[in-house]
Amino acid sequence: MPTVGDVAPDFELLSDEGKPIKLSDFRGKKVILYFYPADFTSGCEFQACSFRDAYTEVQAKNAVVIGVSPDSVDSHKKFREALKLPFHLLADPDKKIAAAWDSAALKPQDDGTTKLKIVRSHFIIDEQGKITDAQPNVKAADSKKLALASL
């Protein structure tokens, strides 16, 4: 798992526009990178709208927001449009990037099996690509406040 002080591992995923985006594309800006379970769920909508509503403040701190979930590009496009989000959502359908960022964990299911599920979390990355804050298992209601305080 990447930790505070590490250089953020680069990755590339498709955005809600179907275009590849790399984390390193944002060098020179701070990044709020957040992992969330699913589009169109109450907690995820709350978290996304919190970042949307604070986006002027985020930009004033030379920062951007990037959301990542296992939903499809098409789902992200609809979610972004429905909520009027000013930032990109990236599709991680196999949860590889979430797992690499320790934002996915095996959870027991009712049938006795386990399934890889997203763990809501966010990371703050500085202009040089170093992780300056990590919030695993963050609550949707606390994510924006904690992220803005760390920028």
Side-chain angles (χ1 to χ4, degrees):
M1 170 183 155
T3 58
V4 172
D6 290 351
V7 172
D10 200 16
F11 61 82
E12 181 177 295
L13 293 170
L14 291 179
S15 75
D16 47 83
E17 296 176 336
K19 297 177 183 173
I21 290 183
K22 291 181 185 177
L23 181 60
S24 60
D25 292 342
F26 299 95
R27 289 279 162 90
K29 290 191 174 282
K30 296 175 190 170
V31 176
I32 300 170
L33 175 66
Y34 79 99
F35 292 88
Y36 67 99
D39 295 337
F40 298 105
T41 58
S42 60
C44 297
E45 285 185 17
F46 181 88
Q47 186 178 27
C49 289
S50 294
F51 284 126
R52 176 200 65 202
D53 295 346
Y55 209 68
T56 301
E57 186 176 349
V58 169
Q59 289 178 308
K61 295 180 183 239
N62 190 38
V64 298
V65 174
I66 302 169
V68 179
S69 90
D71 292 303
S72 69
V73 168
D74 187 52
S75 177
H76 282 337
K77 180 179 179 186
K78 291 174 183 169
F79 189 59
R80 185 175 179 206
E81 288 172 356
L83 299 180
K84 297 179 173 48
L85 302 178
F87 52 85
H88 286 291
L89 303 174
L90 306 182
D92 184 21
D94 58 9
K95 303 176 187 137
K96 267 187 172 176
I97 302 305
W101 281 77
D102 206 22
S103 295
L106 288 172
K107 303 271 180 149
Q109 302 299 295
D110 290 339
D111 64 3
T113 63
T114 58
K115 189 173 182 180
L116 191 63
K117 297 284 195 170
I118 299 301
V119 176
R120 187 183 312 278
S121 57
H122 76 243
F123 299 84
I124 307 301
I125 302 158
D126 72 12
E127 296 91 339
Q128 291 77 41
K130 280 196 172 181
I131 300 169
T132 59
D133 187 44
Q135 296 291 329
N137 291 307
V138 70
K139 292 181 180 174
D142 297 334
S143 191
K144 175 200 74 167
K145 177 183 69 171
L146 292 170
L148 289 175
S150 294
L151 284 179

